[in-house]
Protein backbone atom coordinates (compact mmCIF):
# COMPACT_ATOMS: atom_id res chain seq x y z
CA UNK A 1 0.00 0.00 0.00
CA UNK A 2 2.89 2.37 0.74
CA UNK A 3 4.25 1.83 -2.75
CA UNK A 4 0.85 2.52 -4.29
CA UNK A 5 0.55 5.75 -2.29
CA UNK A 6 3.97 6.87 -3.46
CA UNK A 7 3.03 6.12 -7.07
CA UNK A 8 -0.13 8.20 -6.75
CA UNK A 9 1.78 11.11 -5.21
CA UNK A 10 4.40 10.94 -7.94
CA UNK A 11 1.75 10.87 -10.66
CA UNK A 12 -0.01 13.83 -9.12
CA UNK A 13 3.27 15.77 -8.88
CA UNK A 14 3.99 15.07 -12.56
CA UNK A 15 0.47 16.18 -13.53
CA UNK A 16 0.77 19.41 -11.54
CA UNK A 17 4.18 20.05 -13.08
CA UNK A 18 2.77 19.59 -16.58
CA UNK A 19 -0.11 21.95 -15.78
CA UNK A 20 2.34 24.54 -14.46
CA UNK A 21 4.43 24.26 -17.62
CA UNK A 22 1.33 24.68 -19.78
CA UNK A 23 0.25 27.67 -17.68
CA UNK A 24 3.64 29.33 -18.09
CA UNK A 25 3.48 28.68 -21.84
CA UNK A 26 0.05 30.31 -22.00
CA UNK A 27 1.39 33.35 -20.17
CA UNK A 28 4.36 33.53 -22.50
CA UNK A 29 1.98 33.62 -25.45
CA UNK A 30 -0.25 36.22 -23.83
CA UNK A 31 2.11 39.20 -23.99
CA UNK A 32 2.66 39.21 -27.77
CA UNK A 33 -1.01 38.36 -28.37
CA UNK A 34 -2.11 41.42 -26.44
CA UNK A 35 0.56 43.60 -27.98
CA UNK A 36 -0.79 42.81 -31.45
CA UNK A 37 -4.46 42.94 -30.42
CA UNK A 38 -5.01 39.30 -31.29
CA UNK A 39 -6.68 38.22 -28.05
CA UNK A 40 -5.67 36.94 -24.63
CA UNK A 41 -4.06 33.57 -24.16
CA UNK A 42 -3.88 34.29 -20.42
CA UNK A 43 -5.17 37.38 -18.64
CA UNK A 44 -6.40 38.94 -15.43
CA UNK A 45 -10.16 38.63 -15.05
CA UNK A 46 -11.58 41.30 -12.76
CA UNK A 47 -13.91 40.17 -9.98
CA UNK A 48 -16.51 42.51 -8.52
CA UNK A 49 -15.49 43.03 -4.89
CA UNK A 50 -18.38 45.37 -4.16
CA UNK A 51 -16.17 48.00 -2.51
CA UNK A 52 -13.83 50.86 -3.40
CA UNK A 53 -11.27 49.97 -0.71
CA UNK A 54 -7.63 49.75 -1.76
CA UNK A 55 -6.32 46.23 -1.21
CA UNK A 56 -2.61 45.90 -0.47
CA UNK A 57 -3.02 42.71 1.58
CA UNK A 58 -3.72 39.49 -0.34
CA UNK A 59 -3.55 35.78 0.45
CA UNK A 60 -4.22 33.17 -2.23
CA UNK A 61 -5.35 29.87 -0.71
CA UNK A 62 -6.48 28.30 -4.01
CA UNK A 63 -8.17 29.15 -7.29
CA UNK A 64 -11.44 29.24 -5.35
CA UNK A 65 -10.42 30.77 -2.03
CA UNK A 66 -8.67 34.09 -1.46
CA UNK A 67 -8.57 36.83 1.18
CA UNK A 68 -7.95 40.55 0.62
CA UNK A 69 -7.34 43.27 3.20
CA UNK A 70 -7.09 47.00 2.77
CA UNK A 71 -8.20 50.52 3.57
CA UNK A 72 -11.09 51.52 5.83
CA UNK A 73 -10.57 48.36 7.89
CA UNK A 74 -11.83 46.18 5.03
CA UNK A 75 -11.29 42.41 4.85
CA UNK A 76 -13.05 40.30 2.21
CA UNK A 77 -13.06 36.57 1.52
CA UNK A 78 -14.20 34.49 -1.46
CA UNK A 79 -14.63 30.72 -1.63
CA UNK A 80 -16.11 30.51 -5.13
CA UNK A 81 -13.35 31.94 -7.30
CA UNK A 82 -14.35 35.56 -6.84
CA UNK A 83 -17.96 35.26 -7.98
CA UNK A 84 -19.02 36.39 -4.51
CA UNK A 85 -17.12 38.22 -1.78
CA UNK A 86 -18.10 38.19 1.88
CA UNK A 87 -17.28 41.25 3.96
CA UNK A 88 -15.58 39.78 7.02
CA UNK A 89 -14.04 43.01 8.32
CA UNK A 90 -13.29 43.01 12.07
CA UNK A 91 -15.82 45.08 14.02
CA UNK A 92 -14.60 48.53 14.98
CA UNK A 93 -11.67 48.50 12.55
CA UNK A 94 -12.99 51.07 10.05
CA UNK A 95 -10.35 53.64 11.05
CA UNK A 96 -7.49 51.16 10.55
CA UNK A 97 -5.44 50.36 7.44
CA UNK A 98 -4.90 46.67 6.69
CA UNK A 99 -1.75 46.09 4.64
CA UNK A 100 -1.06 42.36 5.01
CA UNK A 101 -3.02 39.16 5.49
CA UNK A 102 -1.78 35.56 5.71
CA UNK A 103 -4.42 32.84 5.39
CA UNK A 104 -3.86 29.19 6.23
CA UNK A 105 -7.13 28.04 4.64
CA UNK A 106 -10.70 29.24 4.12
CA UNK A 107 -11.30 29.66 7.85
CA UNK A 108 -8.03 30.68 9.48
CA UNK A 109 -6.20 33.94 8.74
CA UNK A 110 -3.97 36.54 10.42
CA UNK A 111 -4.15 40.20 9.35
CA UNK A 112 -1.97 43.23 10.08
CA UNK A 113 -2.90 46.91 10.31
CA UNK A 114 -0.21 49.57 10.03
CA UNK A 115 0.61 52.89 11.61
CA UNK A 116 2.51 54.48 14.45
CA UNK A 117 1.94 53.20 17.96
CA UNK A 118 -1.40 51.52 18.61
CA UNK A 119 -2.48 51.74 14.96
CA UNK A 120 -0.23 48.72 14.31
CA UNK A 121 -2.29 45.68 15.31
CA UNK A 122 -2.64 41.99 14.51
CA UNK A 123 -6.00 40.22 14.23
CA UNK A 124 -6.72 36.50 13.93
CA UNK A 125 -9.80 34.53 12.89
CA UNK A 126 -10.54 30.81 13.11
CA UNK A 127 -14.05 30.86 11.63
CA UNK A 128 -13.72 32.48 8.22
CA UNK A 129 -13.92 36.02 9.58
CA UNK A 130 -17.20 35.60 11.48
CA UNK A 131 -15.27 36.63 14.60
CA UNK A 132 -11.81 38.12 15.12
CA UNK A 133 -9.44 38.32 18.07
CA UNK A 134 -7.00 41.20 18.39
CA UNK A 135 -3.83 39.34 19.38
CA UNK A 136 -1.37 42.25 19.33
CA UNK A 137 -1.56 46.02 19.74
CA UNK A 138 1.73 47.87 19.43
CA UNK A 139 2.51 49.71 22.70
CA UNK A 140 5.61 51.55 21.43
CA UNK A 141 4.95 54.93 19.75
CA UNK A 142 8.29 54.63 17.92
CA UNK A 143 7.33 51.35 16.20
CA UNK A 144 5.48 51.09 12.87
CA UNK A 145 4.76 47.55 11.65
CA UNK A 146 4.74 46.94 7.87
CA UNK A 147 4.46 43.24 7.00
CA UNK A 148 4.11 39.74 8.39
CA UNK A 149 4.92 36.22 7.18
CA UNK A 150 4.46 32.63 8.35
CA UNK A 151 6.84 29.68 8.01
CA UNK A 152 4.01 27.25 8.79
CA UNK A 153 0.67 27.32 10.60
CA UNK A 154 2.32 28.04 13.96
CA UNK A 155 5.48 30.05 13.44
CA UNK A 156 5.47 33.56 12.04
CA UNK A 157 7.09 36.99 12.18
CA UNK A 158 6.09 40.62 11.75
CA UNK A 159 8.49 43.49 11.14
CA UNK A 160 8.54 47.13 12.20
CA UNK A 161 10.50 50.06 10.86
CA UNK A 162 13.66 50.72 12.88
CA UNK A 163 13.29 51.47 16.56
CA UNK A 164 16.41 52.87 18.23
CA UNK A 165 18.39 52.25 15.05
CA UNK A 166 17.36 48.65 14.25
CA UNK A 167 14.43 46.95 12.55
CA UNK A 168 12.17 45.35 15.15
CA UNK A 169 10.91 41.76 14.76
CA UNK A 170 7.80 40.34 16.37
CA UNK A 171 7.46 36.55 16.70
CA UNK A 172 4.62 34.06 17.21
CA UNK A 173 4.80 30.33 17.92
CA UNK A 174 1.07 29.63 18.18
CA UNK A 175 -0.35 30.70 14.83
CA UNK A 176 -0.67 34.37 15.70
CA UNK A 177 -2.56 33.97 18.98
CA UNK A 178 0.28 35.63 20.93
CA UNK A 179 3.37 37.68 19.97
CA UNK A 180 6.65 38.77 21.51
CA UNK A 181 9.41 41.14 20.41
CA UNK A 182 12.65 39.32 19.57
CA UNK A 183 16.00 40.57 20.90
CA UNK A 184 17.54 43.16 18.61
CA UNK A 185 21.21 42.34 19.10
CA UNK A 186 21.24 40.07 16.03
CA UNK A 187 19.91 42.80 13.73
CA UNK A 188 22.36 45.01 11.77
CA UNK A 189 22.16 48.74 12.32
CA UNK A 190 19.72 50.53 10.04
CA UNK A 191 20.88 53.18 7.62
CA UNK A 192 19.76 56.75 8.14
CA UNK A 193 16.21 57.05 6.80
CA UNK A 194 15.89 53.31 6.12
CA UNK A 195 12.48 51.67 6.52
CA UNK A 196 10.14 49.08 5.03
CA UNK A 197 7.34 49.74 2.56
CA UNK A 198 3.85 48.58 3.55
CA UNK A 199 2.84 48.48 -0.10
CA UNK A 200 1.92 44.86 -0.82
CA UNK A 201 2.44 42.70 2.25
CA UNK A 202 5.69 41.44 0.70
CA UNK A 203 8.40 43.41 2.51
CA UNK A 204 8.84 40.36 4.79
CA UNK A 205 8.74 36.91 3.17
CA UNK A 206 9.79 33.38 4.10
CA UNK A 207 10.69 30.11 2.38
CA UNK A 208 10.97 26.79 4.16
CA UNK A 209 10.96 26.30 7.93
CA UNK A 210 13.54 28.93 9.01
CA UNK A 211 14.59 31.36 6.24
CA UNK A 212 13.12 34.85 6.07
CA UNK A 213 13.99 38.03 4.14
CA UNK A 214 13.26 41.70 4.83
CA UNK A 215 13.16 44.41 2.14
CA UNK A 216 14.18 48.02 2.76
CA UNK A 217 14.25 51.43 1.15
CA UNK A 218 14.67 55.09 2.03
CA UNK A 219 18.37 54.76 2.93
CA UNK A 220 21.51 55.26 0.89
CA UNK A 221 21.23 51.67 -0.38
CA UNK A 222 18.16 49.53 -1.03
CA UNK A 223 18.88 46.41 0.99
CA UNK A 224 17.63 42.90 1.65
CA UNK A 225 18.22 41.43 5.09
CA UNK A 226 18.23 37.63 5.52
CA UNK A 227 17.81 35.44 8.58
CA UNK A 228 18.29 31.67 8.59
CA UNK A 229 17.10 31.20 12.19
CA UNK A 230 13.56 32.63 12.18
CA UNK A 231 14.58 36.19 12.82
CA UNK A 232 17.15 35.88 15.61
CA UNK A 233 20.18 36.95 13.54
CA UNK A 234 20.35 38.82 10.24
CA UNK A 235 22.80 39.70 7.47
CA UNK A 236 22.29 42.61 5.09
CA UNK A 237 23.04 42.83 1.36
CA UNK A 238 22.85 45.81 -0.98
CA UNK A 239 20.74 45.58 -4.14
CA UNK A 240 21.04 47.54 -7.41
CA UNK A 241 17.46 48.85 -7.07
CA UNK A 242 17.46 52.70 -6.80
CA UNK A 243 17.63 54.18 -3.31
CA UNK A 244 18.76 57.41 -1.66
CA UNK A 245 15.24 58.83 -1.30
CA UNK A 246 12.28 58.03 0.99
CA UNK A 247 10.24 56.99 -2.08
CA UNK A 248 12.80 54.53 -3.46
CA UNK A 249 13.88 51.03 -2.58
CA UNK A 250 12.87 47.38 -2.56
CA UNK A 251 9.10 47.14 -2.13
CA UNK A 252 8.53 43.38 -2.48
CA UNK A 253 10.36 40.06 -2.38
CA UNK A 254 9.57 36.51 -3.50
CA UNK A 255 11.65 33.38 -2.87
CA UNK A 256 10.70 30.09 -4.53
CA UNK A 257 13.13 28.26 -2.23
CA UNK A 258 15.86 29.27 0.19
CA UNK A 259 18.24 30.20 -2.66
CA UNK A 260 16.32 31.79 -5.55
CA UNK A 261 14.78 35.20 -4.97
CA UNK A 262 13.33 38.17 -6.79
CA UNK A 263 13.21 41.78 -5.62
CA UNK A 264 11.09 44.53 -7.18
CA UNK A 265 10.57 48.19 -6.41
CA UNK A 266 11.88 51.48 -7.70
CA UNK A 267 10.38 54.93 -7.08
CA UNK A 268 6.66 54.89 -6.29
CA UNK A 269 6.08 58.48 -7.40
CA UNK A 270 4.18 58.53 -10.68
CA UNK A 271 6.31 61.34 -12.12
CA UNK A 272 9.59 59.54 -11.45
CA UNK A 273 11.16 56.82 -13.59
CA UNK A 274 12.35 53.48 -12.24
CA UNK A 275 14.97 52.21 -14.71
CA UNK A 276 16.22 49.42 -12.44
CA UNK A 277 13.02 48.17 -10.85
CA UNK A 278 14.05 44.55 -10.24
CA UNK A 279 16.94 42.34 -9.17
CA UNK A 280 17.59 38.63 -8.81
CA UNK A 281 19.51 36.44 -6.34
CA UNK A 282 20.62 32.83 -6.66
CA UNK A 283 22.38 32.49 -3.32
CA UNK A 284 19.72 33.15 -0.73
CA UNK A 285 19.97 36.93 -0.91
CA UNK A 286 23.69 37.28 -0.19
CA UNK A 287 24.20 38.95 -3.57
CA UNK A 288 21.80 40.65 -5.98
CA UNK A 289 22.28 41.39 -9.68
CA UNK A 290 20.26 43.77 -11.88
CA UNK A 291 17.94 42.31 -14.48
CA UNK A 292 18.99 42.52 -18.10
CA UNK A 293 15.55 43.79 -19.10
CA UNK A 294 13.72 44.90 -15.95
CA UNK A 295 10.05 45.91 -15.66
CA UNK A 296 9.44 49.28 -17.33
CA UNK A 297 8.26 51.04 -14.16
CA UNK A 298 7.92 50.83 -10.39
CA UNK A 299 6.56 47.49 -9.16
CA UNK A 300 5.15 46.86 -5.68
CA UNK A 301 4.36 43.12 -5.74
CA UNK A 302 5.95 39.93 -7.06
CA UNK A 303 5.14 36.19 -6.99
CA UNK A 304 6.64 33.04 -8.47
CA UNK A 305 4.29 30.87 -10.49
CA UNK A 306 3.73 27.65 -8.51
CA UNK A 307 5.83 24.63 -9.48
CA UNK A 308 7.91 26.75 -11.87
CA UNK A 309 11.64 27.35 -11.58
CA UNK A 310 11.70 30.24 -14.03
CA UNK A 311 8.34 32.06 -14.25
CA UNK A 312 7.06 34.89 -12.05
CA UNK A 313 4.73 37.89 -12.11
CA UNK A 314 5.38 41.46 -10.96
CA UNK A 315 2.64 44.07 -10.52
CA UNK A 316 2.35 47.80 -9.98
CA UNK A 317 0.13 50.79 -10.72
CA UNK A 318 1.03 50.75 -14.43
CA UNK A 319 0.79 47.05 -15.17
CA UNK A 320 1.80 43.42 -14.79
CA UNK A 321 5.06 41.95 -16.08
CA UNK A 322 6.09 38.35 -16.67
CA UNK A 323 9.49 36.68 -16.52
CA UNK A 324 10.08 33.18 -17.88
CA UNK A 325 13.84 33.11 -17.32
CA UNK A 326 14.08 33.44 -13.55
CA UNK A 327 13.97 37.22 -13.45
CA UNK A 328 16.65 38.08 -15.98
CA UNK A 329 14.16 39.65 -18.40
CA UNK A 330 10.56 40.86 -18.06
CA UNK A 331 7.82 41.76 -20.51
CA UNK A 332 4.47 43.44 -20.01
CA UNK A 333 1.45 41.16 -19.74
CA UNK A 334 -1.27 43.64 -18.72
CA UNK A 335 -1.56 47.40 -18.15
CA UNK A 336 -4.12 47.38 -15.32
CA UNK A 337 -3.28 48.78 -11.89
CA UNK A 338 -2.51 46.31 -9.09
CA UNK A 339 -0.57 46.65 -5.84
CA UNK A 340 -0.03 43.02 -4.85
CA UNK A 341 -0.03 39.53 -6.35
CA UNK A 342 -0.07 36.00 -4.89
CA UNK A 343 -0.29 32.45 -6.24
CA UNK A 344 -1.60 29.24 -4.65
CA UNK A 345 -0.17 25.74 -5.18
CA UNK A 346 -3.07 24.78 -7.48
CA UNK A 347 -2.01 27.56 -9.91
CA UNK A 348 -4.60 30.00 -8.58
CA UNK A 349 -2.99 33.43 -9.03
CA UNK A 350 -4.69 36.58 -7.73
CA UNK A 351 -3.95 40.31 -7.84
CA UNK A 352 -5.47 43.23 -5.92
CA UNK A 353 -5.15 46.98 -5.75
CA UNK A 354 -6.88 50.35 -5.81
CA UNK A 355 -10.61 51.07 -6.05
CA UNK A 356 -11.58 47.56 -4.97
CA UNK A 357 -9.75 45.90 -7.87
CA UNK A 358 -9.35 42.13 -7.44
CA UNK A 359 -8.60 39.75 -10.30
CA UNK A 360 -7.78 36.10 -10.91
CA UNK A 361 -5.41 34.95 -13.63
CA UNK A 362 -7.28 32.96 -16.26
CA UNK A 363 -5.78 30.57 -18.76
Amino acid sequence: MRGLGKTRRTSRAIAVGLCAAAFAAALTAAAPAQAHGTGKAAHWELKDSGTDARFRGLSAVSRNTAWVAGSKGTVLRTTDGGANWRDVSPPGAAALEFRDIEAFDARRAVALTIGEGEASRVFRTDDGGATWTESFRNPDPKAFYDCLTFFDRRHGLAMSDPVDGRFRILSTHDGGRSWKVLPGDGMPAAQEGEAGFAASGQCLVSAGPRDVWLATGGGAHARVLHSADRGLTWKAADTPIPAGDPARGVFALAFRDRAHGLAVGGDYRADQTSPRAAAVSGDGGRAWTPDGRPPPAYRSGVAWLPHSRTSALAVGPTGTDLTTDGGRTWRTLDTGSYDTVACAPDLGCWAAGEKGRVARLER
Side-chain angles (χ1 to χ4, degrees):
M1 291 299 291
R2 272 194 250 173
L4 179 59
K6 183 177 180 181
T7 300
R8 287 175 175 168
R9 288 193 298 271
T10 302
S11 298
R12 183 181 180 190
I14 292 172
V16 170
L18 291 173
C19 287
F23 195 16
L27 284 170
T28 303
Q34 290 188 58
H36 292 87
T38 57
K40 298 179 180 179
H43 62 281
W44 290 118
E45 183 176 287
L46 284 169
K47 309 293 183 178
D48 184 6
S49 68
T51 178
D52 63 355
R54 185 165 196 164
F55 295 120
R56 295 184 183 271
L58 167 66
S59 188
V61 177
S62 68
R63 278 186 58 79
N64 290 327
T65 300
W67 300 67
V68 290
S71 61
K72 297 181 285 190
T74 306
V75 179
L76 306 182
R77 184 193 65 149
T78 183
T79 56
D80 57 10
N84 296 281
W85 293 87
R86 180 183 174 191
D87 186 339
V88 295
S89 306
L96 300 175
E97 293 284 323
F98 283 100
R99 293 295 179 91
D100 199 355
I101 187 165
E102 303 291 331
F104 306 119
D105 50 41
R107 297 185 60 80
R108 290 174 290 181
V110 178
L112 172 75
T113 65
I114 67 158
E116 296 178 348
E118 291 190 353
S120 287
R121 305 179 192 182
V122 178
F123 296 82
R124 178 188 165 91
T125 181
D126 288 306
D127 54 14
T131 61
W132 293 85
T133 300
E134 182 184 305
S135 59
F136 174 77
R137 182 179 296 200
N138 172 39
D140 190 336
K142 296 181 291 185
F144 185 116
Y145 285 85
D146 299 293
C147 294
L148 56 82
T149 189
F150 276 84
F151 303 95
D152 51 43
R153 291 174 181 261
R154 294 178 55 208
H155 302 91
L157 301 176
M159 58 81 69
S160 163
D161 289 340
V163 177
D164 298 328
R166 299 178 190 274
F167 284 93
R168 175 169 288 181
I169 303 298
L170 199 64
S171 175
T172 180
H173 297 280
D174 54 13
R177 294 177 179 86
S178 63
W179 298 83
K180 67 175 182 179
V181 175
L182 293 181
D185 51 359
M187 176 68 71
Q191 303 171 95
E192 183 177 354
E194 191 174 28
F197 291 109
S200 60
Q202 296 176 327
C203 59
L204 185 72
V205 301
S206 56
R210 304 189 69 82
D211 288 274
V212 59
W213 296 264
L214 187 160
T216 82
H221 302 280
R223 303 196 297 173
V224 173
L225 281 63
H226 170 236
S227 171
D229 54 12
R230 289 185 182 163
L232 294 176
T233 60
W234 298 78
K235 292 183 179 180
D238 292 345
T239 76
I241 291 177
D245 186 280
R248 299 175 186 162
V250 180
F251 281 72
L253 298 167
F255 275 79
R256 66 173 173 83
D257 52 40
R258 66 191 309 265
H260 299 88
L262 302 171
V264 301
D267 191 317
Y268 69 75
R269 294 170 295 192
D271 61 343
Q272 298 294 314
T273 60
S274 295
R276 303 186 308 278
V280 61
S281 175
D283 60 4
R286 289 189 294 273
W288 294 85
T289 57
D291 295 351
R293 190 171 69 202
Y298 155 73
R299 294 295 179 252
S300 56
V302 63
W304 289 94
L305 287 185
H307 317 291
S308 173
R309 298 176 61 85
T310 57
S311 298
L313 296 166
V315 300
T318 62
T320 299
D321 304 298
L322 168 73
T323 179
T324 56
D325 55 14
R328 290 189 294 274
T329 62
W330 297 81
R331 58 174 154 175
T332 300
L333 181 72
D334 183 272
T335 57
S337 174
Y338 297 102
D339 292 316
T340 186
V341 60
C343 293
D346 68 349
L347 307 182
C349 290
W350 297 80
E354 62 180 344
K355 299 178 181 178
R357 286 172 60 89
V358 185
R360 189 178 69 177
L361 197 63
E362 301 296 340
R363 288 166 276 181

